[in-house]
């Protein structure tokens, strides 16, 4: 009876750790551009390298999670060992990040879905390391099962390949040239086709867009050099446009941010069905897609100043 309880607890612990790894991998895809930027900005690697590295680490984390969920540890418990040392590596990186950038940044460990500061993520990893240590110590020595060893070795490359299939590795661009064509009104003074910019596609009737505008206005007020551009969907009736714009600006106090209007079809072609659609762009290539909680002045400033 004692043995069966122990085995059940080990099975439960392994399954929970596996589920956490799978969930963590999933959060890094929401959106994947956020994790790409995290690697690019924190490890100082070229943007194209970060595109491939993001998919590799997402796949690796998901693969280890799936094996843990299935209680398949491979020869000499290599799955547990790999997970343990991967957490050690991430914790060392988080410690360096904390001393370099402070605690007022999203470390990106769980994407933008679950923003975490470096210290919070370090504490999370410490708890996970303790749990993996227990799993490592109390898991019985694996039997020489050929199918388990083969499965553990085959699952990893197959799962690593999945993010490359679902999210093709390529730099995505915003067709910002449409903002300078005949379908645009109030053409941006800045050339968004070149250099680093924040571009936000907003609706003047959207409450979340107004929240975003308030945050962006505060950032612009604190640092007037920040290259922020708002793009509104054009109501296409002058009187309606003016009324809606005045109400939006009065409510959000975003009069310090340059804006332009774009007709509905090209607006939807760029922004999609949901707003706000906000991006960091570099030479029109998407570096990072943001939600309202992701708006962080310090992170934006660090990116603007980075090479």
């Amino acid at each position: 009876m004692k043995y069966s309880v122990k085995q059940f607890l080990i099975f439960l612990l392994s399954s929970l750790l596996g589920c956490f790894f799978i969930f963590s991998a999933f959060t890094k895809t929401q959106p994947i551009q956020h994790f790409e930027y995290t690697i690019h900005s924190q490890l100082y690697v070229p943007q194209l390298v970060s595109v491939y590295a993001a998919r590799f680490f997402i796949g690796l984390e998901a693969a280890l999670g799936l094996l843990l969920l299935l209680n398949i540890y491979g020869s000499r418990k290599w799955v547990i060992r790999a997970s343990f040392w991967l957490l050690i590596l991430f914790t060392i990186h988080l410690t360096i990040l904390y001393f370099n950038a402070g605690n007022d940044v999203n470390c990106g460990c769980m994407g933008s879905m679950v923003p975490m500061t470096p210290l919070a993520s370090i504490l999370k990893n410490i708890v996970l390391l303790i749990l993996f240590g227990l799993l490592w110590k109390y898991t019985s020595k694996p039997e020489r099962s050929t199918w388990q060893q083969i499965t553990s070795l085959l699952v990893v490359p197959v799962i690593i390949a999945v993010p490359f299939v679902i999210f093709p590795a390529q730099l995505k661009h915003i067709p910002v040239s449409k903002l300078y064509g005949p379908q645009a009104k109030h053409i941006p003074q800045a050339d968004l086709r070149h250099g680093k910019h924040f571009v936000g596609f907003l609706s003047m009737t959207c409450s979340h867009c107004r929240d975003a505008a308030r945050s962006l206005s505060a950032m612009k007020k604190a640092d007037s050099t920040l290259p922020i551009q708002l793009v509104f969907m054009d109501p296409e009736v002058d009187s309606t446009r003016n009324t809606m714009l005045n109400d939006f600006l009065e409510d959000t106090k975003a009069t310090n941010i340059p804006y332009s209007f774009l007709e509905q079809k090209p607006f939807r072609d760029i922004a999609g069905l949901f707003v706000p659609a906000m991006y960091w762009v570099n030479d029109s290539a998407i570096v990072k897609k943001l939600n309202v909680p992701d708006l962080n002045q310090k992170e934006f400033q660090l990116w603007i100043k980075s090479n």
Side-chain angles (χ1 to χ4, degrees):
M1 182 66 181
K2 210 171 179 182
Y3 177 78
S4 63
V5 171
K6 174 187 173 184
Q7 288 298 100
F8 172 76
L9 291 176
I10 289 173
F11 173 83
L12 182 63
L13 176 59
S14 181
S15 299
L16 289 174
L17 288 170
C19 288
F20 184 85
F21 264 46
I22 293 171
F23 175 71
S24 178
F26 171 74
T27 61
K28 293 179 176 65
T29 68
Q30 303 298 308
I32 197 169
Q33 289 86 1
H34 187 284
F35 189 49
E36 290 172 5
Y37 169 71
T38 298
I39 295 174
H40 170 67
S41 63
Q42 295 181 11
L43 299 182
Y44 306 103
V45 297
Q47 192 171 344
L48 188 59
V49 173
S50 69
V51 169
Y52 286 95
R55 286 152 180 79
F56 172 80
F57 282 112
I58 290 170
L60 177 61
E61 190 172 26
L64 293 173
L66 179 60
L67 290 170
L68 289 165
L69 179 62
L70 298 175
N71 282 227
I72 297 175
Y73 307 128
S75 177
R76 299 181 63 187
K77 307 181 189 178
W78 76 261
V79 173
I80 298 175
R81 291 169 181 263
S83 303
F84 185 89
W85 289 109
L86 192 64
L87 284 170
I88 291 286
L89 183 65
F90 287 163
T91 304
I92 292 172
H93 165 69
L94 288 167
T95 303
I96 296 172
L97 177 65
Y98 173 75
F99 284 108
N100 286 341
N103 201 42
D104 187 29
V105 295
N106 178 13
C107 67
C109 298
M110 302 190 75
S112 61
M113 180 181 286
V114 186
M116 298 190 74
T117 64
L119 280 181
S121 194
I122 289 172
L123 292 175
K124 165 185 68 78
N125 285 1
I126 290 173
V127 173
L128 289 173
L129 285 168
I130 293 172
L131 295 177
F132 269 108
L134 293 173
L135 186 65
W136 193 343
K137 179 177 180 180
Y138 291 107
T139 301
S140 302
K141 186 176 180 180
E143 298 178 1
R144 294 283 181 176
S145 172
T146 303
W147 79 268
Q148 282 207 13
Q149 292 185 34
I150 294 175
T151 300
S152 68
L153 294 174
L154 286 179
V155 163
V156 174
V158 170
I159 300 300
I160 285 177
V162 170
F164 288 90
V165 175
I166 298 177
F167 308 100
Q170 58 185 4
L171 297 177
K172 293 185 178 180
H173 289 74
I174 293 181
V176 290
S177 58
K178 292 185 178 183
L179 298 174
Y180 301 88
Q183 296 171 313
K185 299 208 171 51
H186 297 286
I187 292 175
Q189 294 181 356
D191 188 354
L192 304 177
R193 294 163 291 192
H194 302 96
K196 295 180 177 181
H197 302 273
F198 174 101
V199 185
F201 295 87
L202 312 182
S203 167
M204 292 183 286
T205 59
C206 161
S207 60
H208 294 297
C209 296
R210 296 191 174 213
D211 291 338
R214 292 187 189 97
S215 297
L216 292 168
S217 177
M219 290 167 56
K220 187 74 172 177
K221 184 176 181 181
D223 184 351
S224 61
T225 65
L226 293 178
I228 301 174
Q229 175 73 36
L230 301 182
V231 181
F232 297 112
M233 182 189 294
D234 189 12
E236 300 180 10
V237 177
D238 290 343
S239 58
T240 303
R241 182 192 307 116
N242 293 335
T243 300
M244 293 174 66
L245 178 62
N246 290 335
D247 178 68
F248 183 93
L249 295 178
E250 183 178 351
D251 180 36
T252 62
K253 314 302 181 189
T255 53
N256 56 339
I257 302 177
Y259 60 85
S260 60
F261 289 91
L262 192 60
E263 290 181 4
Q264 294 186 20
K265 186 179 184 308
F267 183 96
R268 288 300 183 192
D269 289 343
I270 299 174
L273 297 176
F274 303 103
V275 288
M278 302 180 291
Y279 307 93
W280 292 357
V281 297
N282 187 7
D283 293 336
S284 79
I286 298 175
V287 173
K288 183 178 180 181
K289 184 176 181 181
L290 304 100
N291 298 313
V292 176
D294 302 325
L295 297 174
N296 184 296
Q297 180 179 334
K298 185 174 182 179
E299 288 185 359
F300 188 39
Q301 289 172 320
L302 289 173
W303 173 65
I304 291 295
K305 295 175 182 177
S306 65
N307 295 325

